[in-house]
Amino acid sequence: MAFYDIISGLETQSVRINQEEIARLKQIMVAVELQKGDFFQEFGQWSTHMGIVTEGALYAYSLHDDGSEKVHDFYYPVEHAVVVDYKSYHKNEPSKVYIKCHEKCILYLVNLKEVRALYGQFPVFAQIESVIAKYNIKNAINKIEILQEDSNQIKIDKFRYYYSKVFHFFPYSYIASYLGIHRNTLNRLFKNR
């Protein structure tokens, strides 16, 4: 997935973007390659950029007091490609999570303030932000639906339904952390299916 795939994805969401807008978007979007273990964002940093991952995978996590990771989110091409700590961005506060590359990644980055400054000249950019916000709201609702389940089996089934491709990118231990269950429980429930 490259720049024009991103444009095609917007068009499937009823965002009509003309050549001038595409040219300006190309000017403000920067392709960045990050290596495994690199941070997109660290704990305590302010969210100033949004990324669209086109290759590779990242995950968001926080640290427990004992130093172990609690996984909060996954980012990978197409299904869950928008990389941003929306809570930090919208509340204008430092991030409470790390966003780290699980493997080598290629992302298209935009500076969120720079894009907002262009809304008057390019109203379609506000429409794009609206589409991305709706996408993130939908993912937040899915996450709430999954994590509020009492049954671990139903949690796993819903997670597989909403995020089927995540299993191609991340080990079960990360998925178990996200779901709030032990990895042995996850493995056992998968074997029973």
Side-chain angles (χ1 to χ4, degrees):
M1 183 160 111
F3 179 79
Y4 286 101
D5 293 327
I6 295 169
I7 300 302
S8 294
L10 290 170
E11 290 174 346
T12 64
Q13 298 297 313
S14 300
V15 175
R16 300 294 171 243
I17 187 164
N18 66 37
Q19 291 304 314
E20 180 186 8
E21 294 160 340
I22 290 172
R24 188 63 177 119
L25 197 55
K26 281 179 87 169
Q27 291 174 349
I28 61 173
M29 289 185 90
V30 178
V32 175
E33 183 176 305
L34 299 175
Q35 300 303 313
K36 179 179 181 169
D38 287 351
F39 288 95
F40 174 82
Q41 180 172 302
E42 293 194 51
F43 179 91
Q45 287 183 330
W46 298 83
S47 290
T48 58
H49 289 77
M50 179 188 72
I52 299 174
V53 62
T54 59
E55 290 181 32
L58 304 93
Y59 67 106
Y61 69 95
S62 60
L63 293 175
H64 291 290
D65 291 339
D66 67 0
S68 63
E69 295 179 1
K70 166 60 179 148
V71 176
H72 296 279
D73 219 336
F74 301 101
Y75 310 98
Y76 47 92
V78 184
E79 191 176 73
H80 204 65
V82 178
V83 183
V84 66
D85 180 354
Y86 259 103
K87 181 178 178 187
S88 169
Y89 174 63
H90 284 291
K91 287 189 166 193
N92 197 28
E93 65 184 23
S95 178
K96 295 191 179 2
V97 297
Y98 298 88
I99 301 177
K100 185 177 182 179
C101 293
H102 177 63
E103 57 188 48
K104 178 181 161 185
C105 295
I106 297 177
L107 300 105
Y108 282 85
L109 295 182
V110 294
N111 180 302
L112 294 165
K113 286 183 182 178
E114 187 178 328
V115 172
R116 282 202 160 167
L118 295 171
Y119 284 3
Q121 185 181 2
F122 296 99
V124 73
F125 292 171
Q127 184 183 5
I128 292 169
E129 183 178 10
S130 176
V131 165
I132 291 170
K134 287 177 187 174
Y135 165 85
N136 279 293
I137 290 168
K138 177 182 159 204
N139 280 329
I141 291 168
N142 292 346
K143 182 176 183 177
I144 290 166
E145 182 181 338
I146 292 165
L147 298 179
Q148 286 184 341
E149 282 296 336
D150 290 330
S151 162
N152 286 333
Q153 186 64 62
I154 294 172
K155 263 188 202 180
I156 293 165
D157 292 345
K158 285 185 177 185
F159 184 76
R160 288 173 83 175
Y161 176 76
Y162 289 126
Y163 306 108
S164 60
K165 293 183 180 151
V166 75
F167 295 93
H168 300 290
F169 293 101
F170 295 97
Y172 281 6
S173 60
Y174 286 40
I175 295 164
S177 173
Y178 175 88
L179 294 172
I181 61 177
H182 194 278
R183 70 175 179 264
N184 292 343
T185 302
L186 180 71
N187 287 332
R188 181 175 43 79
L189 292 172
F190 266 120
K191 286 179 185 175
N192 292 340
R193 285 282 170 170

